[in-house]
């Protein structure tokens, strides 16, 4: 009710006029009903691009769960936070031009068709690395294992951290 007649509640001497259109969240079902309509900004999140100082690295694909309709255009956002930022100030992001060079399109890869090494890299490598680094502490070059590792016990952790800070400055960039 209020949004339909919002102009009645704004004083004529107000410093800012009401915008002609307001952005709104669009569900997946509504996006499907608008099927031939393409996503603006080629499906990339305009908020992350603007916040990343309009650098190539800041171009991130938007999510299908976070779509906003504004000025008869559909914008795809990265997450809830960027969607909230767009809903608050859409005029900051909706007319941002895309760079001439865009990242390559992401293609879903069927991991079962990969060779064994590729399959392992894509499926279990992160889990194995996380498990190994939680059990094994790294060894700095040219130091004995006992001198370079940070002990997990409270009595040795302060000594180990102090030792690393003083002895390993040449390895810290």
């Amino acid at each position: 009710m209020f949004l339909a007649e919002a102009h009645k509640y704004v004083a004529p001497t107000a410093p800012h006029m009401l915008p002609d259109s307001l952005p709104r969240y669009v569900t997946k079902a509504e996006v499907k009903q608008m099927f031939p309509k393409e996503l603006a900004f080629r499906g990339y999140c305009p908020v992350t691009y603007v916040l990343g100082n309009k650098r190539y690295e800041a171009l991130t694909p938007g999510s299908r769960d976070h779509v906003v309709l504004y000025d008869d255009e559909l914008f795809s956002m990265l997450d809830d936070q960027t969607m909230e930022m767009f809903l608050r100030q859409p005029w900051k992001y909706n007319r941002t031009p895309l760079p001439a060079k865009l990242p390559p399109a992401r293609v879903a890869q069927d991991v079962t068709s990969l060779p064994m090494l590729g399959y392992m890299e894509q499926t279990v490598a992160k889990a194995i690395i996380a498990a190994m680094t939680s059990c094994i502490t790294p060894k700095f070059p040219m130091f004995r294992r006992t001198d370079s590792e940070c002990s997990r016990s409270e009595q040795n952790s302060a000594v180990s951290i102090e030792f690393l800070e003083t002895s390993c400055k040449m390895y810290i960039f």
Side-chain angles (χ1 to χ4, degrees):
M1 184 73 174
F2 170 76
L3 289 178
E5 300 173 350
H7 62 280
K8 291 182 180 179
Y9 302 100
V10 177
T13 58
H16 299 288
M17 298 299 297
L18 288 176
D20 294 332
S21 64
L22 295 174
R24 70 177 183 86
Y25 169 74
V26 182
T27 64
K28 283 184 177 181
E30 290 175 313
V31 172
K32 284 184 180 180
Q33 289 176 352
M34 302 178 193
F35 170 62
K37 188 177 214 57
E38 291 186 21
L39 291 173
F41 212 64
R42 291 206 185 157
Y44 293 103
C45 178
V47 178
T48 56
Y49 182 61
V50 170
L51 292 178
N53 295 324
K54 299 182 181 178
R55 292 187 335 263
Y56 175 83
E57 296 84 19
L59 278 173
T60 54
S63 168
R64 294 178 184 173
D65 298 327
H66 303 95
V67 178
V68 175
L69 179 67
Y70 180 66
D71 277 347
D72 201 33
E73 291 182 308
L74 293 173
F75 292 91
S76 180
M77 305 299 145
L78 179 66
D79 55 15
D80 289 330
Q81 183 181 6
T82 55
M83 186 171 73
E84 182 68 29
M85 292 173 76
F86 188 90
L87 289 171
R88 287 180 186 270
Q89 297 178 326
W91 55 88
K92 284 175 83 175
Y93 311 107
N94 73 325
R95 296 292 173 220
T96 304
L98 272 171
K101 182 180 177 184
L102 296 175
R106 294 186 181 188
V107 179
Q109 177 74 33
D110 182 23
V111 293
T112 57
S113 65
L114 295 172
M116 181 54 75
L117 184 59
Y119 177 79
M120 297 292 286
E121 286 177 352
Q122 298 298 319
T123 56
V124 296
K126 289 181 182 177
I128 291 173
I129 291 169
M132 289 179 67
T133 55
S134 69
C135 298
I136 303 168
T137 54
K139 179 183 176 297
F140 285 99
M142 298 185 217
F143 288 103
R144 292 177 294 168
R145 164 75 65 199
T146 56
D147 293 337
S148 68
E149 69 183 19
C150 289
S151 174
R152 285 187 168 72
S153 67
E154 289 183 24
Q155 55 185 326
N156 293 335
S157 64
V159 174
S160 297
I161 291 171
E162 182 181 323
F163 173 78
L164 285 174
E165 287 176 353
T166 57
S167 302
C168 301
K169 286 186 180 178
M170 67 176 121
Y171 297 106
I172 299 173
F173 298 101

